[in-house]
Amino acid sequence: MANRVFNFNPGPSTIPLDVLKIIQEELIDYRGTGMSIIESSHRSPEFDEVNNQAMALAKEILGLGDNYKVLFMTGGASSQFAYIPLNFLNDGQVGAYVDTGTWSTKAIKEAQIIGNMHLAGSTKDDGYTFVPKPADISYPDNTAYLHVTSNNTIKGTQFHQFPDTGEVPLICDMSSDIASRKIDYSKFSLIYAGAQKNLGPAGVTLVVIKEDLLAKCKEGLPSMFNYQTYAAKNSLYNTPPSFGIYVMKLVFEWIMNQGGLEAVEKVNMAKKDTIYGMIDKYPDYFKGTVKPDSRSWMNITMRLPNEDLEKKLIADAKAAGFVGLKGHRSVGGVRVSVYNAMPLEGATKLAEFMETFMNANQ
Ligand SMILES: *Cc1c(COP(=O)(O)O)cnc(C)c1O
């Protein structure tokens, strides 16, 4: 695999090489069918098996029981911003939101189009450099749900502790850190994630939803905008994003082959320690942009002493085979995205590159 680079793109992002090889191998003739899975009917036994396996693996990996349903949807995480208030935010209630940056802000905007929003916590005034502590999140009695963004892909922060919401459903946008660490996923009544960061290609959105929340979907919604439609039809009400589901299944199998979330978490921990190690060793050169206790394990953000150095680092890194390090256009700087599929070797070699770059560019 001579031409593969270390791909630090924030999304769409790197996919395990083992998975790409299986796709390549199966693309011409999927298991003796004489066609690829993306040319097969979504009603075929072959696709049905893929669909069911992907759902079962999602639950197994996240440690969720039979009281959860797995849905495969389209429209990205951004459509979920609207689906959630459409389905669960009734008159006389508020949707409670924690604002921790760009993506939560967008979720809030959609909620405000549909109903009443309560700001349950925000770090906007601090430039989103950290996430609120559970004790600093509050909402009134008429709260339909509390929405949080577990990992802030652009700002480089992440929740390491989630609030206990009791009877209030906790809903989480996990687009950029799902299945990256062992947490209690059963704390959440609904989790959603666009696949293109940790799970596969763009085009499919994973949703896991607890049955008791599913029962609360509003009446009178158009079919494609009601979670119950997807649940009732095994996500096959209309033609699903079959390629994405197929790749997601392969990624789940890859996770299981690594040893599940425990093993994946260990590698992710080593990767983030390696890169934050540079920030902690040379804080005047690699300037971390977030508070240490809110550091993201997935998207590591930093500034260099000036913008010219940032540009040079990004260009030199690219020439050396480390791609995708440019910070989001809204914040600038350097962002190192180390999703599940980035091997430890990528982080280790990048850290070496960073140190060498620093020594050569004072
Ligand atoms: C990338 C991202 C989104 C947007 O996802 P789309 O699939 O492009 O709609 C939303 N939330 C978070 C946390 C993200 O990282």
Side-chain angles (χ1 to χ4, degrees):
M1 282 293 148
N3 297 322
R4 296 281 297 172
V5 294
F6 287 115
N7 176 356
F8 293 93
N9 278 334
S13 51
T14 187
I15 288 178
L17 184 56
D18 291 345
V19 168
L20 295 177
K21 283 179 176 167
I22 295 171
I23 298 168
Q24 188 180 44
E25 197 180 295
E26 292 184 336
L27 198 63
I28 305 291
D29 178 5
Y30 181 77
R31 303 188 182 181
T33 56
M35 63 179 84
S36 65
I37 197 78
I38 56 175
E39 299 165 288
S40 303
S41 167
H42 57 293
R43 312 275 174 215
S44 67
E46 289 79 21
F47 185 75
D48 207 46
E49 190 184 19
V50 166
N51 198 44
N52 289 332
Q53 283 178 347
M55 287 174 179
L57 282 165
K59 286 215 273 192
E60 185 176 351
I61 288 168
L62 301 179
L64 297 173
D66 287 338
N67 54 337
Y68 281 84
K69 277 259 192 296
V70 177
L71 317 178
F72 298 134
M73 299 176 70
T74 54
S78 299
S79 296
Q80 296 298 318
F81 298 162
Y83 276 112
I84 290 157
L86 268 179
N87 278 268
F88 306 121
L89 183 49
N90 293 292
D91 288 347
Q93 292 184 314
V94 296
Y97 285 77
V98 181
D99 182 13
T100 49
T102 314
W103 297 116
S104 3
T105 306
K106 288 192 166 177
I108 287 169
K109 184 179 159 210
E110 300 306 297
Q112 286 172 322
I113 291 170
I114 291 156
N116 291 318
M117 195 280 301
H118 170 82
L119 194 60
S122 172
T123 50
K124 187 178 181 180
D125 292 344
D126 301 284
Y128 298 119
T129 49
F130 61 98
V131 297
K133 294 205 162 44
D136 297 326
I137 295 170
S138 63
Y139 42 86
D141 287 342
N142 63 336
T143 294
Y145 56 82
L146 175 71
H147 179 283
V148 296
T149 312
S150 53
N151 183 69
N152 298 283
T153 324
I154 293 172
K155 307 293 177 191
T157 61
Q158 189 175 28
F159 278 91
H160 297 291
Q161 263 182 303
F162 293 93
D164 289 312
T165 52
E167 293 294 298
V168 174
L170 181 59
I171 292 182
C172 190
D173 177 358
M174 284 196 197
S175 291
S176 52
D177 69 347
I178 188 152
S180 67
R181 56 182 173 164
K182 252 188 110 96
I183 55 172
D184 181 5
Y185 290 91
S186 71
K187 270 188 100 134
F188 302 91
S189 293
L190 189 156
I191 297 168
Y192 64 96
Q196 68 271 24
K197 282 128 190 176
N198 258 328
L199 301 177
V204 57
T205 310
L206 172 72
V207 175
V208 295
I209 182 169
K210 213 171 178 177
E211 302 265 9
D212 55 3
L213 182 61
L214 186 62
K216 288 190 195 160
C217 293
K218 273 191 250 178
E219 308 225 327
L221 291 171
S223 309
M224 284 296 286
F225 296 88
N226 187 330
Y227 287 113
Q228 287 176 354
T229 305
Y230 296 80
K233 300 288 182 188
N234 212 29
S235 296
L236 295 169
Y237 173 75
N238 75 325
T239 317
S242 53
F243 183 65
I245 294 168
Y246 161 68
V247 179
M248 204 190 274
K249 188 211 82 159
L250 295 176
V251 170
F252 287 148
E253 286 172 345
W254 176 84
I255 290 175
M256 296 302 288
N257 289 339
Q258 307 300 299
L261 284 197
E262 209 166 304
V264 165
E265 176 180 85
K266 248 188 214 151
V267 177
N268 285 337
M269 216 184 277
K271 282 171 350 199
K272 62 99 183 163
D273 283 345
T274 303
I275 303 297
Y276 283 118
M278 287 292 108
I279 290 177
D280 291 335
K281 195 168 170 190
Y282 307 112
D284 297 328
Y285 197 83
F286 300 115
K287 303 166 197 251
T289 58
V290 306
K291 297 205 173 145
D293 63 357
S294 293
R295 282 175 170 178
S296 167
W297 294 20
M298 295 279 105
N299 308 99
I300 301 165
T301 51
M302 66 190 83
R303 302 300 310 239
L304 267 60
N306 62 61
E307 286 187 17
D308 288 340
L309 282 174
E310 289 169 351
K311 273 194 198 129
K312 188 166 194 306
L313 181 136
I314 291 160
D316 288 7
K318 189 170 179 192
F322 307 101
V323 172
L325 294 171
K326 199 168 184 296
H328 190 266
R329 59 189 184 279
S330 64
V331 293
V334 171
R335 169 172 53 174
V336 184
S337 299
V338 278
Y339 298 123
N340 282 356
M342 173 59 62
L344 177 57
E345 188 196 359
T348 311
K349 291 209 163 139
L350 179 66
E352 284 165 22
F353 169 86
M354 287 166 67
E355 201 160 24
T356 308
F357 179 89
M358 183 195 70
N359 290 327
N361 295 276
Q362 282 298 332

